[in-house]
Amino acid sequence: MAAGTRAPPLHGGPKMAGGAEPGLELQRVVEALELLLQPPTGSAERDGGPVPGPESALRPETLRSNAAALEERLRRAPGWAALRGLRHAVLSRAPALAAGAVDEAEPGWAAACGLLALLLCLKERLVALAAAPAARGAGPGAAPPPSADTLSVAQGRAVGRALRAAVGLGLVPYLPPGVGQRPGTPAPPPAALAARGVRLHAATAALAELAEHPALGGPLLTRHLGLLLAGLCLLGHGPAAHSQGVSEAERVRCREALRHILDRVYQPLAVRELLVLQGRPKQSPPSPGEETKPALVRAPAWLRRLCGQLLSERLMRPNGVQAVVRGIMEGTGGGAGAEAAAVDWRKCDAVAKILASCPQQCLSLEDYYRLVCPQILDLLHIQDKLTARQFQRVATTTLLTMAKEHPQLAEKHLLQPLLAPLLRCSETAELAVDDLSAGTVLVTEAELSSCVEDVLKVYVVGNDSSSLLLGSLHSVLGVVFSLYSFAKQNVSYLRSPCQEILLWFLEKSEREVSLSVLEGFAGLNSSVHALHPQCRFRAGSEGGATIAVEETISDEDEALYQKVSSEQCRVENLVELLSHCQRSGLAGDFFIRCLKALTCVAAEDEAASNLAAVPGGSLLELEQYHAVQRRKLLVLQLVATLCESVSDTVFTDIAQVVEFVAATLQRACVGPARGPGAAAEAQTLAMAMGLVAAMLGGAVQLQSGDFAVLKRLVPLLEELSRTYPEPLTQELATDLRIAICTHGAFSPGTVGAAADSVMGKKPGTGAQSPAGIPGGAPSPGGGRSPPRHRRSSPSAPRERSEEQSVSHERDAAGPAPAPCVESPTPAGLQELLVSAYDPQPPGRAAALRCLASLITQRDPEALRLQEKLLQVFLENVQHEDAFVYLSAIQGVALLSSEYPERILPVLLARYGCPARGTEDTTATVTRMKLGEVLMRVTRALGDMVFKHREPLVQAFLRGARDPDSTLRASSLSNLGELCQRLGFQLGSIVQEVTSCLTAIAKTDPEAEVRRAAVHVVVVLLRGLSEKATEVLQDVLRDLYRLLKHVVAAEPDGATVLHAQLALEELDAVMRRVLFPPQTLEKKIVVLP
């Protein structure tokens, strides 16, 4: 029904009655309403205040007395004759109300009829006031006077009470169970069924007529819309048994009034009230917090069907989707309710299912999608910050639900319109460039920004990696990457969303698809559709970008420069994008694929040169040749940029390293490099082979499965040992193949030398790297004899076995005195390691001191054997002699301070889990010694200890729960010193530490452990000093209460003393904070 039209009145047209002035009669009507609703005399005093509503005070005898008082005043009071005549005219148009007003048998219905008659009189007066000539305007600068039909605050309050009483007495009692019932409503009176229908129609018709006036319809439809709709639904669409005495014409008018009210009111409110009328589903469990509420009667089937039909009509209206969403989601006004609704994903799913389901009224599913889908996309553009989050969540969930249920329709009506600005300028788009002048804007800044933000919300935030979404996004990835490159070169807020979109697609797609897309970004294939060649991005005025038709560049040199620079920029941005994909391994896989493409380039070089040398080639062949050459240049440029920019963590597992080495070996097997690039190719090959040697030499911990991956290199190494022209490389390839096949059990000296060269270590005097490997040149300290390279001499294993037997005999002869030299040879270092197991404590301690001195001097040979040294030190930590185990503790601390990333996890693991096979006492002593090592490492690390804060604190907290009381006290002592050194870097662990200290100080059975817990608080307060109020601000009160508890209830005197010291320290800290010392100083300022 069009706006501004009125529903046909249910009683007939209004008529003016009485000749009095309307303004004078308005107050009379309000007084009559107040008189009819007046509580009994003395009830306000008995209840202690005014009665808020009629339900608590209007009893049958009160209603009778009020009605009698009103009739008496209407007959005899001066000035009430006009109201009496007006009420008579109103009741003459509503016979049911007239009959009910004089029915003394049922005072509730009589009062309702009287109230409705007075409200209709009030409506007549308000209409007359609105039709009267407007009053003279106020003077200049004064506020305009209100309209003549405006109710005052007191009058509005009285009208609200009258409406509530009229609905409660005249409408609610005559609604059957399940139709608009509210908890706590009175039971219907014992009236005949025919009388109920007539009374319900009379009350509903009067209320519907009152709803037509703005001043009365506002409070009525805001507070009582659901009950009014229930009455109209029952009369217009309900069973005939509930509308006996109501004619068919009256039922038709009720149906018209129902639709008129639904079209007129605020649509989210109409949706919400219809949902309430419909009731919850039969299988729906009660919501949290509703278990204690009175159970409601389930709505009848006819009402559920009718409400569903009306809700579908609300949805099919213009902006119906937004009305339904606002009506269902709680907190449509924003605030905390909006946040809670946005978080409630179950409610969002429910709304999405409603929107994604085609109603029965819609004959065609495609018509429904055509009508609703644009409104769903509009939900993504809500600007209100309070409701935008929930609207966007509902829109995203609805779109994903539609995409799952009907992929083709969703792609046509949702995804394609969503991506339309990007598809419009893709290279696959059919642009009439001839009809467009240069500079014509194809996509505006607002349109492009909105499109990118919508794609981010739907794809990235929605995070549904279905094939439909990935496929649709794949069609515009080239344009998104071009926009990302443009944003990288300029200042634009579109850079971050474009990057998130690209990274999301690369992460969610299959690895092969992601690699193909990356090649398309680089220009190596046509898997992605790039920006149209006639289109270019331009900077927008709001920080975004626009897409416009490019001006044709007439200068060939300028065009070539633009092309080359754009390709260079594209490659650099691709590498920048890959830097965010290293953890997933995608960057490593793409780097390997580029290396394989480089191998193909090396294999095709000779054939391509022959093709170029053939005279008289066709134009097609020439174009193919140029395309191949362009691809080769792109591969070379891409590999060069990757090598310069990608970090050394590009490979995430052994398989990727093996793939990298295999690509390098395969390129070497295709044909040795000649010309200027031969040296670089040789160095690359040497690096790859040295990388394999380093893995076999212990740089990484290889498992049995890793050797299965390494065996992929065996055929390539065998072919390289037969075809490569360099003898040293042939021998290294043979030795690497043997080491891989034997799982590292047999490792020739060339493998170790190659590993040393890659790891950056100096090779020993007994081994030398081959000539082709970097780092194999003689050291500046003196010359070395040239190595003797043996290919497959049978004497080589025998010589090695003889050397090993001689070494074992020297070890069995007894430990030699520990030589402590500045830079020992490997043989001298081996003697030190042997002396570290001397049965005599002085010799063992001296060897440990010498090894610690080598670590301090950063001796290369000693650092290369750091794992062996750690094992030696840890075994000597368990020695019972103090001189020995203190020397070992010093050595472990020095080694840990040099390599904390490698050594600390080992120490923490041993501190948490003692070695098996040891007695409990020995294990406890060893763990306390390791605690001393950890504290020395903590002191040596200084501020860098924050990086290892979490594992250290967790280890000491676990130690504080050990069954041994001595270890618990030791762990608490270590924990106190660690917290003191962390200072401001304690962070959130202060809560865990405080909880641990509180529990131990109150519940531990050993006094020394409780003493240690309180001592931690003392050390913490003393170390933090004035910083304690900032670092411990969240737990300072808990610590104070703990100390007071210890002083009051602790039986151990030493623990009480510690607590008193802590309280004194806390008192001093708080005094310094609250009363800082005043410094008296004199400032002399020299004025110019």
Side-chain angles (χ1 to χ4, degrees):
M1 189 175 294
T5 61
R6 290 181 175 271
L10 304 186
H11 294 307
K15 297 179 181 179
M16 292 297 296
E21 194 70 24
L24 299 176
E25 293 299 322
L26 182 62
Q27 185 61 30
R28 291 276 187 261
V29 178
V30 175
E31 291 178 5
L33 290 173
E34 293 177 343
L35 179 61
L36 196 58
L37 296 175
Q38 182 180 2
T41 306
S43 63
E45 290 78 2
R46 290 195 305 268
D47 297 339
V51 180
E55 291 83 358
S56 59
L58 296 181
R59 299 174 182 177
E61 55 272 14
T62 304
L63 295 176
R64 289 191 183 95
S65 61
N66 289 346
L70 177 62
E71 291 295 333
E72 182 69 18
R73 184 169 297 186
L74 286 174
R75 284 197 304 268
R76 299 182 179 182
W80 288 67
L83 178 58
R84 183 174 66 249
L86 180 59
R87 192 182 71 153
H88 182 270
V90 168
L91 291 177
S92 64
R93 299 197 306 268
L97 294 180
V102 296
D103 189 0
E104 297 182 357
E106 295 187 15
W109 171 244
C113 293
L115 287 171
L116 291 173
L118 290 176
L119 288 172
L120 290 174
C121 293
L122 180 63
K123 173 179 175 290
E124 297 287 347
R125 297 295 88 187
L126 291 175
V127 171
L129 287 173
R136 181 177 300 177
S147 59
D149 59 345
T150 302
L151 297 175
S152 65
V153 176
Q155 292 172 347
R157 189 181 300 112
V159 169
R161 287 187 60 204
L163 289 172
R164 183 170 59 179
V167 171
L169 297 174
L171 185 61
V172 174
Y174 304 100
L175 293 175
V179 181
Q181 292 293 323
R182 299 290 196 272
T185 54
L193 192 61
R196 293 182 189 178
V198 173
R199 292 179 181 181
L200 179 63
H201 176 264
T204 304
L207 291 173
E209 185 173 349
L210 292 175
E212 294 296 324
H213 195 275
L216 301 177
L220 175 61
L221 297 179
T222 302
R223 301 177 183 177
H224 311 290
L225 176 62
L227 293 172
L228 179 59
L229 293 179
L232 291 174
C233 290
L234 182 64
L235 292 171
H237 301 273
H242 294 287
S243 57
Q244 293 184 9
V246 182
S247 64
E248 185 62 30
E250 292 173 337
R251 298 192 66 177
V252 171
R253 284 198 293 269
C254 288
R255 287 194 287 269
E256 293 177 356
L258 173 64
R259 298 192 178 275
H260 173 69
I261 291 176
L262 287 177
D263 292 341
R264 175 187 169 194
V265 299
Y266 181 55
Q267 291 302 299
L269 179 62
V271 170
R272 191 179 310 151
E273 294 298 337
L274 288 174
L275 288 173
V276 173
L277 282 178
Q278 191 177 32
R280 67 163 56 123
K282 187 175 183 180
Q283 304 296 333
S284 175
S287 302
E290 296 183 356
E291 294 84 354
T292 58
K293 295 182 180 180
L296 299 179
V297 180
R298 190 164 181 253
W302 67 268
L303 182 58
R304 295 197 302 271
R305 290 192 300 268
L306 176 62
C307 291
Q309 179 181 355
L310 295 175
L311 285 171
S312 300
E313 292 177 1
R314 299 304 99 195
L315 178 62
M316 302 290 288
R317 286 169 57 89
N319 297 324
V321 171
Q322 188 175 146
V324 170
V325 175
R326 288 187 182 274
I328 297 177
M329 303 295 289
E330 294 180 356
T332 55
E339 293 294 327
V343 174
D344 191 356
W345 57 269
R346 292 174 297 183
K347 182 166 293 187
C348 294
D349 286 347
V351 178
K353 290 180 181 178
I354 293 175
L355 297 180
S357 302
C358 179
Q360 297 179 355
Q361 288 81 1
C362 190
L363 301 179
S364 172
L365 181 63
E366 186 167 0
D367 292 341
Y368 175 73
Y369 270 60
R370 186 182 299 109
L371 176 66
V372 171
C373 288
Q375 300 183 44
I376 295 175
L377 295 178
D378 290 339
L379 295 180
L380 297 171
H381 307 146
I382 299 296
Q383 299 299 324
D384 184 11
K385 294 182 179 179
L386 296 176
T387 58
R389 185 181 175 189
Q390 56 179 325
F391 274 66
Q392 292 168 8
R393 186 162 189 152
V394 170
T396 302
T397 309
T398 306
L399 190 147
L400 297 178
T401 305
M402 288 182 167
K404 291 178 181 178
E405 295 180 355
H406 304 286
Q408 296 180 351
L409 293 177
E411 182 178 9
K412 178 180 179 181
H413 298 286
L414 283 174
L415 297 181
Q416 289 185 1
L418 178 69
L419 303 173
L422 299 177
L423 292 171
R424 193 184 311 159
C425 55
S426 176
E427 62 182 359
T428 58
E430 297 180 359
L431 293 179
V433 182
D434 298 336
D435 300 336
L436 299 175
S437 59
T440 303
V441 177
L442 296 178
V443 181
T444 62
E445 181 181 5
E447 191 177 6
L448 183 60
S449 301
S450 177
C451 177
V452 172
E453 292 175 358
D454 292 347
V455 171
L456 181 68
K457 297 171 187 175
V458 172
Y459 289 85
V460 181
V461 178
N463 198 22
D464 187 350
S465 56
S466 62
S467 58
L468 175 63
L469 292 179
L470 291 176
S472 61
L473 185 58
H474 189 218
S475 61
V476 297
L477 276 183
V479 182
V480 175
F481 180 74
S482 300
L483 180 59
Y484 169 73
S485 301
F486 173 80
K488 288 283 291 183
Q489 294 177 335
N490 300 273
V491 179
S492 176
Y493 60 84
L494 296 176
R495 175 172 52 188
S496 179
C498 289
Q499 177 178 308
E500 293 186 27
I501 293 170
L502 295 172
L503 291 177
W504 178 85
F505 181 88
L506 296 175
E507 177 187 355
K508 298 299 180 180
S509 299
E510 297 181 358
R511 184 54 55 93
E512 195 62 30
V513 176
S514 299
L515 294 175
S516 177
V517 167
L518 290 174
E519 289 182 342
F521 290 162
L524 298 179
N525 60 26
S526 57
S527 61
V528 295
H529 305 305
L531 188 68
H532 196 279
Q534 299 297 327
C535 298
R536 283 295 178 270
F537 290 103
R538 291 182 178 179
S541 59
E542 302 293 333
T546 62
I547 303 177
V549 178
E550 182 188 21
E551 299 179 1
T552 305
I553 302 177
S554 57
D555 190 356
E556 295 182 359
D557 294 339
E558 181 65 21
L560 179 61
Y561 171 76
Q562 292 288 345
K563 183 178 181 181
V564 172
S565 61
S566 64
E567 290 181 353
Q568 176 67 25
C569 177
R570 182 173 57 189
V571 170
E572 292 177 355
N573 293 324
L574 175 60
V575 174
E576 172 68 20
L577 188 67
L578 281 173
S579 64
H580 301 280
C581 305
Q582 296 188 23
R583 182 174 300 179
S584 62
L586 180 61
D589 290 343
F590 183 69
F591 186 44
I592 293 170
R593 174 166 289 202
C594 292
L595 291 178
K596 292 180 179 179
L598 192 62
T599 303
C600 298
V601 169
E604 296 172 357
D605 274 343
E606 185 175 355
S609 61
N610 294 335
L611 178 62
V614 175
S618 63
L619 182 61
L620 179 60
E621 293 176 349
L622 189 61
E623 289 180 355
Q624 293 177 351
Y625 168 73
H626 285 303
V628 171
Q629 292 298 317
R630 177 181 174 275
R631 189 177 187 278
K632 290 180 181 180
L633 291 175
L634 281 175
V635 170
L636 292 173
Q637 183 184 12
L638 189 58
V639 171
T641 309
L642 285 171
C643 292
E644 291 178 359
S645 303
V646 177
S647 66
D648 54 355
T649 59
V650 63
F651 297 134
T652 57
D653 53 15
I654 299 296
Q656 287 187 335
V657 177
V658 171
E659 289 290 338
F660 163 70
V661 175
T664 306
L665 296 180
Q666 189 174 5
R667 190 166 65 252
C669 293
V670 169
R674 303 181 181 88
E681 285 290 340
Q683 291 182 0
T684 305
L685 178 61
M687 180 192 66
M689 299 176 72
L691 193 57
V692 179
M695 289 191 296
L696 294 172
V700 293
Q701 190 70 25
L702 296 177
Q703 306 294 332
S704 58
D706 297 332
F707 282 102
V709 177
L710 284 170
K711 286 183 179 179
R712 302 176 190 172
L713 302 176
V714 172
L716 294 173
L717 290 172
E718 185 177 0
E719 182 179 357
L720 193 68
S721 65
R722 289 186 287 101
T723 60
Y724 201 78
E726 181 63 39
L728 303 180
T729 305
Q730 289 182 3
E731 181 181 7
L732 181 58
T734 302
D735 293 342
L736 286 175
R737 182 172 59 87
I738 294 172
I740 293 174
C741 292
T742 60
H743 286 205
F746 179 76
S747 181
T750 54
V751 175
D756 289 340
S757 65
V758 172
M759 302 286 291
K761 299 177 180 180
K762 298 179 182 178
T765 57
Q768 188 173 357
S769 60
I773 299 177
S779 62
R784 292 179 296 189
S785 59
R788 295 177 298 166
H789 299 283
R790 298 177 297 274
R791 288 284 307 272
S792 58
S793 175
S795 62
R798 184 166 60 252
E799 293 176 2
R800 293 188 179 92
S801 63
E802 291 175 359
E803 292 176 359
Q804 293 174 0
S805 63
V806 171
S807 175
H808 286 300
E809 291 174 1
R810 185 173 63 247
D811 294 344
C820 190
V821 293
E822 290 296 326
S823 182
T825 61
L829 183 59
Q830 184 67 28
E831 291 179 5
L832 283 176
L833 294 175
V834 173
S835 300
Y837 295 94
D838 194 339
Q840 299 298 326
R844 178 179 291 203
L848 294 175
R849 294 283 179 174
C850 289
L851 291 175
S853 178
L854 292 177
I855 296 173
T856 305
Q857 298 172 9
R858 303 185 64 84
D859 182 80
E861 286 297 326
L863 297 181
R864 187 171 65 87
L865 300 176
Q866 55 178 283
E867 296 181 1
K868 180 64 177 177
L869 293 178
L870 177 62
Q871 181 181 359
V872 171
F873 286 134
L874 290 178
E875 291 177 1
N876 281 278
V877 164
Q878 303 178 16
H879 200 276
E880 59 184 3
D881 188 83
F883 190 38
V884 175
Y885 74 73
L886 287 177
S887 301
I889 287 175
Q890 180 185 4
V892 178
L894 290 173
L895 195 61
S896 302
S897 61
E898 291 291 335
Y899 301 96
E901 302 290 341
R902 302 179 184 177
I903 309 301
L904 266 182
V906 178
L907 297 178
L908 290 172
R910 294 208 177 193
Y911 184 81
C913 300
R916 296 181 180 179
T918 58
E919 298 180 359
D920 293 341
T921 305
T922 306
T924 301
V925 173
T926 303
R927 292 175 68 183
M928 286 192 292
K929 294 176 182 177
L930 290 176
E932 174 63 19
V933 173
L934 292 174
M935 294 318 302
R936 291 195 182 192
V937 175
T938 300
R939 300 186 196 105
L941 289 176
D943 292 337
M944 292 301 294
V945 74
F946 173 75
K947 186 176 182 181
H948 311 281
R949 176 190 64 173
E950 299 290 341
L952 285 171
V953 172
Q954 292 173 7
F956 293 142
L957 288 177
R958 285 194 296 268
R961 297 170 55 189
D962 194 85
D964 190 276
S965 60
T966 308
L967 183 60
R968 294 203 302 270
S970 175
S971 299
L972 289 173
S973 177
N974 296 335
L975 181 63
E977 184 174 353
L978 176 62
C979 293
Q980 183 181 6
R981 292 192 173 276
L982 285 173
F984 276 103
Q985 298 173 336
L986 271 174
S988 59
I989 64 171
V990 69
Q991 302 283 353
E992 302 178 34
V993 174
T994 305
S995 301
C996 176
L997 296 178
T998 303
I1000 292 176
K1002 291 183 178 181
T1003 62
D1004 198 281
E1006 297 295 330
E1008 61 176 352
V1009 182
R1010 299 196 302 270
R1011 194 180 308 158
V1014 178
H1015 180 66
V1016 172
V1017 182
V1018 178
V1019 172
L1020 195 58
L1021 293 175
R1022 190 172 298 165
L1024 293 175
S1025 187
E1026 284 84 7
K1027 299 185 294 185
T1029 56
E1030 300 178 40
V1031 179
L1032 306 176
Q1033 57 179 348
D1034 297 333
V1035 298
L1036 200 57
R1037 183 181 60 179
D1038 298 334
L1039 291 177
Y1040 176 76
R1041 290 178 176 176
L1042 171 64
L1043 296 174
K1044 296 293 288 185
H1045 169 78
V1046 171
V1047 171
E1050 176 59 43
D1052 182 66
T1055 307
V1056 173
L1057 178 60
H1058 282 298
Q1060 291 174 347
L1061 292 175
L1063 287 173
E1064 293 176 3
E1065 189 67 30
L1066 183 59
D1067 180 74
V1069 170
M1070 296 307 300
R1071 286 181 182 275
R1072 287 194 295 268
V1073 172
L1074 297 176
F1075 310 103
Q1078 297 182 358
T1079 55
L1080 301 178
E1081 58 182 6
K1082 181 185 294 183
K1083 293 184 179 180
I1084 301 176
V1085 180
V1086 180
L1087 298 176

